Amino acid sequence: MGTSTRRSRRLMALAAVAALTTGLLAGCSKDSDNSSSNDSGGNSKGKTTLTIGTFGVFGYKQAGLYDEYMKLHPDISIKENVTTRTDVYWPKVLTRLQAGSGTDDIQAIEVGNITEAVQTQGSKFVDLGKDVDKSQWLGWKNAQATTKDGKMIGLGTDVGPMAICYRKDLFKKAGLETDRTKLAAQWKGDWAKYVDVGKQYMKKAPSGTKFVDSASSVYNAALGGGNERYYDKDGNVVWDKSDGVKKAWDVAMSVATSNMSAKLKQFDPTWDQGYAKGTFATVACPAWMIGYIEQKSGASGKGNWDVAAAPTASNWGGSFLGVPTAGKHQKEAIALAKWLTAPEQQAKVFAKQASFPSTPSAYATLKPAADTTAYFSNAPLTQIFADSAKTIPVQYFGIKDQPINTAITDVGILQVEQKGKSPTQGWDAAKNEVKDVLGQ
């Protein structure tokens, strides 16, 4: 990729960020994909309005938490501002943090961005460690949001233990095993075995369907189960030497160079349409994606989706809530952030959409909603995700972890999957993009 091409992309990205800062991006929520904000407070006259910036579907509104909090605190009105994609959301937040204005009272931070927030934006967030009992959260989760001088800038929301969500109706039509336990045994221990099941599926695939949504989906799932990502434990960039990256790339290439992928870009409208139309049979699904699948697949997916254990224990995603120092209502924002991330509230979100808590004390009582369980063919969601969470390897995230990941998935893998380039050409494209990310 030439320098002029990379410069053009950077200019386009800057223009996109500028557009976002003016609020032109439409966000998504469970109720509407056409509104970038969701005011749960109704008439906020005479009240303190707290804004909370999130991405995707956090589940707070869906679980009724905003309404519950406002009943407990009649002087508070809550407005949620939602952005669909994290790779769009975070640059917008960075711009506002650096400007010292325009941030929400509470800002969600995705795990792929938490190291950058800790190392470069620590002074822009309130130290929440002074106001909470840290033992409520997983120790490694707290550590991810803590600066070298002990400042805790985020409270853990969910973690992302992995499973495989699959359409058992499509599996049956393709002549494959539909029992979740037997199916999991077929691919246990190796993502390459999962690809082998995909090859079997494609031999008798129902018309218009593919085995998996995208090669990037498989890449992220496999990467989340490795011992090393893009940085080593000392913070050194090792992405191009990482064994975890190599294994994830290889399995993704097996998908990208085959006919088993629907070639969709996750979280784009076409991906949502794929759910609605039932055009792919499996997707690597961290716990937080359960609610998304139920939302996007709609009535046609009820009882057809099922959940099986993933080939390896893996984590994808998980977030934090931080309170920017630029906020006008810090005291009230801290109180709301503490309440939303407490074990009781995390359990309520799980009950609504299976987002898996980062608070271990909630695990014993977790119960997904009856309609969610029915939607996923009565799969034991709590057990499947808890079993994965217990054995997820510890991974080190670096300051540019998220943009490096985006460079590999949205440039490297897509070059192969959608443009017919060779795996070598895709890797070279990813490498050039990563060099831009790292300023090399």
Side-chain angles (χ1 to χ4, degrees):
M1 183 182 298
T3 302
S4 60
T5 302
R6 296 198 298 271
R7 184 181 298 114
S8 296
R9 180 176 287 113
R10 286 196 296 271
L11 291 173
M12 291 173 66
L14 289 172
V17 171
L20 288 172
T21 60
T22 62
L24 297 179
L25 177 70
C28 77
S29 70
K30 186 139 185 171
D31 295 320
S32 173
D33 291 328
N34 299 314
S35 175
S36 61
S37 67
N38 190 353
D39 191 346
S40 297
N43 182 6
S44 60
K45 184 177 181 180
K47 299 181 179 182
T48 297
T49 297
L50 296 178
T51 60
I52 175 169
T54 66
F55 45 85
V57 182
F58 263 60
Y60 295 147
K61 179 182 185 298
Q62 291 75 21
L65 296 189
Y66 294 149
D67 288 338
E68 182 179 349
Y69 191 83
M70 288 186 290
K71 287 180 181 178
L72 295 171
H73 303 83
D75 58 331
I76 296 294
S77 175
I78 300 172
K79 180 179 181 182
E80 184 182 59
N81 296 319
V82 187
T83 302
T84 307
R85 293 174 59 97
T86 58
D87 57 338
V88 173
Y89 167 85
W90 186 241
K92 175 177 63 175
V93 174
L94 281 178
T95 298
R96 293 175 176 178
L97 286 171
Q98 292 161 2
S101 64
T103 60
D104 289 301
D105 293 299
I106 296 174
Q107 293 286 174
I109 309 170
E110 206 268 340
V111 65
N113 302 123
I114 190 62
T115 300
E116 182 174 19
V118 165
Q119 293 186 10
T120 72
Q121 306 298 319
S123 64
K124 307 289 187 179
F125 286 96
V126 172
D127 183 1
L128 297 173
K130 300 176 181 179
D131 297 285
V132 298
D133 175 6
K134 296 181 181 179
S135 66
Q136 292 183 95
W137 293 272
L138 293 163
W140 61 264
K141 187 77 171 177
N142 289 338
Q144 288 180 327
T146 302
T147 64
K148 288 184 178 180
D149 59 359
K151 183 178 179 180
M152 188 171 166
I153 70 166
L155 303 180
T157 59
D158 60 323
V159 289
M162 188 73 65
I164 297 294
C165 294
Y166 67 101
R167 289 283 300 250
K168 65 180 184 181
D169 56 330
L170 298 181
F171 268 54
K172 184 177 181 179
K173 291 178 181 179
L176 299 185
E177 179 64 62
T178 60
D179 179 82
R180 68 180 70 92
T181 302
K182 294 179 180 178
L183 188 59
Q186 291 183 8
W187 57 51
K188 183 177 181 180
D190 192 344
W191 285 92
K193 294 180 180 178
Y194 169 74
V195 175
D196 289 340
V197 174
K199 293 176 181 178
Q200 296 174 37
Y201 178 89
M202 293 311 300
K203 291 178 180 179
K204 296 182 179 180
S207 178
T209 71
K210 298 293 184 179
F211 177 68
V212 67
D213 60 328
S214 70
S216 293
S217 169
V218 179
Y219 173 83
N220 281 320
L223 183 65
N227 291 314
E228 189 174 59
R229 291 172 59 91
Y230 306 127
Y231 290 75
D232 63 21
K233 62 181 179 179
D234 297 318
N236 300 309
V237 179
V238 296
W239 78 275
D240 54 344
K241 305 178 184 66
S242 167
D243 183 60
V245 172
K246 183 180 185 304
K247 289 180 178 179
W249 175 267
D250 287 346
V251 74
M253 290 301 99
S254 296
V255 174
T257 56
S258 72
N259 67 337
M260 71 177 67
S261 173
K263 301 181 180 181
L264 301 173
K265 187 175 180 180
Q266 292 193 321
F267 303 104
D268 273 4
T270 52
W271 190 56
D272 294 347
Q273 293 165 12
Y275 278 120
K277 296 178 180 179
T279 56
F280 51 87
T282 71
V283 61
C285 57
W288 50 262
M289 197 181 284
I290 289 293
Y292 193 94
I293 293 172
E294 185 176 357
Q295 173 194 351
K296 300 302 181 182
S297 295
S300 64
K302 184 176 182 179
N304 287 322
W305 280 103
D306 207 329
V307 184
T312 62
S314 176
N315 187 78
W316 177 12
S319 301
F320 303 82
L321 296 184
V323 176
T325 56
K328 298 179 180 179
H329 310 292
Q330 290 183 24
K331 180 180 178 181
E332 294 85 353
I334 291 170
L336 176 57
K338 287 172 58 178
W339 189 84
L340 287 172
T341 57
E344 297 82 1
Q345 276 61 257
Q346 293 206 29
K348 292 171 186 175
V349 174
F350 178 85
K352 181 62 180 178
Q353 63 179 43
S355 295
F356 207 78
S358 60
T359 49
S361 64
Y363 293 173
T365 59
L366 292 182
K367 293 182 180 180
D371 59 347
T372 298
T373 301
Y375 196 93
F376 288 91
S377 304
N378 297 313
L381 299 176
T382 302
Q383 178 183 341
I384 291 171
F385 289 121
D387 288 347
S388 176
K390 292 174 184 176
T391 55
I392 290 170
V394 176
Q395 292 187 327
Y396 297 94
F397 287 76
I399 191 170
K400 294 294 184 182
D401 206 275
Q402 184 64 45
I404 290 174
N405 190 81
T406 300
I408 293 174
T409 58
D410 290 11
V411 177
I413 293 177
L414 286 186
Q415 288 278 335
V416 180
E417 186 172 49
Q418 295 189 0
K419 298 184 179 181
K421 301 293 185 181
S422 70
T424 298
Q425 289 172 316
W427 182 259
D428 288 342
K431 183 178 291 187
N432 285 331
E433 196 71 13
V434 172
K435 285 181 179 179
D436 273 359
V437 167
L438 300 176
Q440 296 176 346

